[in-house]
Amino acid sequence: MLGLPARVRACLFDLDGVLTQTAKVHAVAWKEMFDGFLRERATREGTSFVPFDAVDDYDEYVDGRPREDGVRTFLAARGVHLPEGSPDDPPEAETVNGLGNRKNNLVLRRIREDGVEPYEGSVRFVHAAREAGLRCAVVSSSANCRDVLVAAGIEGLFDERIDGVVAHERHLRGKPAPDTYLEAARGLGTDPDEAAVFEDALAGVEAGRAGRFAVVVGVDRVGQAEQLRAHGADVVVRDLADLLESR
């Protein structure tokens, strides 16, 4: 009744864009941060300002990646290379960590002001999975994962959480490497070929494919079904409730 292979015993869910309606919050924050930085740099150097595209640039360079990787990857595509700095750099610092902290402050402000809404279809699916005896984990690059789960009222639905904080502590590579998903499967006591990955980010479905999981479900919230398939999704749905309704 879950629309998954019979051998699946665990479900591994991305957070932003799969469980909660926070992917758009991240996209807006990335754009605000990068546009401010790029505009200042263009003015200082007398060059043209080319804004960050909140759809194409977000999908290609930052979605699903650890924050510093997103900063580094996008700027490299623009031919910009900044010092790494350190995690406690102030948000005004022109370093990889400084820009990452600037973006994080913007996200936290929006979450505080607007709150967090889960996707109702995803909550239904997680409940159905648990009722069927499957164990569930959240796998997110975000260091704010627990706060978002609590704000959305869904923290208690998951047996394991592998997020940006845990990844840093355990020295796990971020998506598109499969490390965080593999760690979640280990934490649930399952092998990759007994676990399903649910992702809306291109880097995330690449991680699922690289980890050789039983099935990688792409969640298409923004009309990128073909890209999700090309990057490794076995199945693409508009909402996780579609899996329940297909049975």
Side-chain angles (χ1 to χ4, degrees), residues 62-198:
V62 303
D63 189 20
R65 300 176 188 271
R67 193 185 311 143
E68 287 72 29
D69 286 353
V71 173
R72 205 179 293 111
T73 303
F74 170 71
L75 292 181
R78 293 292 183 92
V80 178
H81 301 278
L82 296 180
E84 287 294 308
S86 63
D88 58 355
D89 278 359
E92 61 271 15
E94 288 197 358
T95 64
V96 169
N97 279 276
L99 293 187
N101 290 338
R102 190 185 308 182
K103 179 264 177 181
N104 192 50
N105 287 350
L106 293 170
V107 166
L108 292 176
R109 186 190 73 199
R110 290 182 177 274
I111 289 174
R112 284 194 302 269
E113 293 175 355
D114 303 331
V116 176
E117 290 292 327
Y119 284 103
E120 188 273 336
S122 295
V123 175
R124 281 177 52 205
F125 185 89
V126 175
H127 277 293
R130 291 177 63 85
E131 289 167 7
L134 277 62
R135 305 198 73 201
C136 297
V138 178
V139 182
S140 172
S141 299
S142 175
N144 305 313
C145 178
R146 183 179 181 278
D147 293 335
V148 172
L149 290 172
V150 171
I154 58 174
E155 183 191 20
L157 293 179
F158 302 97
D159 306 294
E160 184 82 1
R161 185 185 78 249
I162 303 296
D163 59 13
V165 175
V166 175
H168 177 73
E169 292 173 348
R170 301 183 188 177
H171 307 289
L172 304 173
R173 293 176 300 167
K175 305 168 188 177
D179 300 30
T180 51
Y181 276 117
L182 292 171
E183 185 74 1
R186 279 193 291 270
L188 295 179
T190 58
D191 294 328
D193 64 0
E194 298 174 315
V197 167
F198 301 84

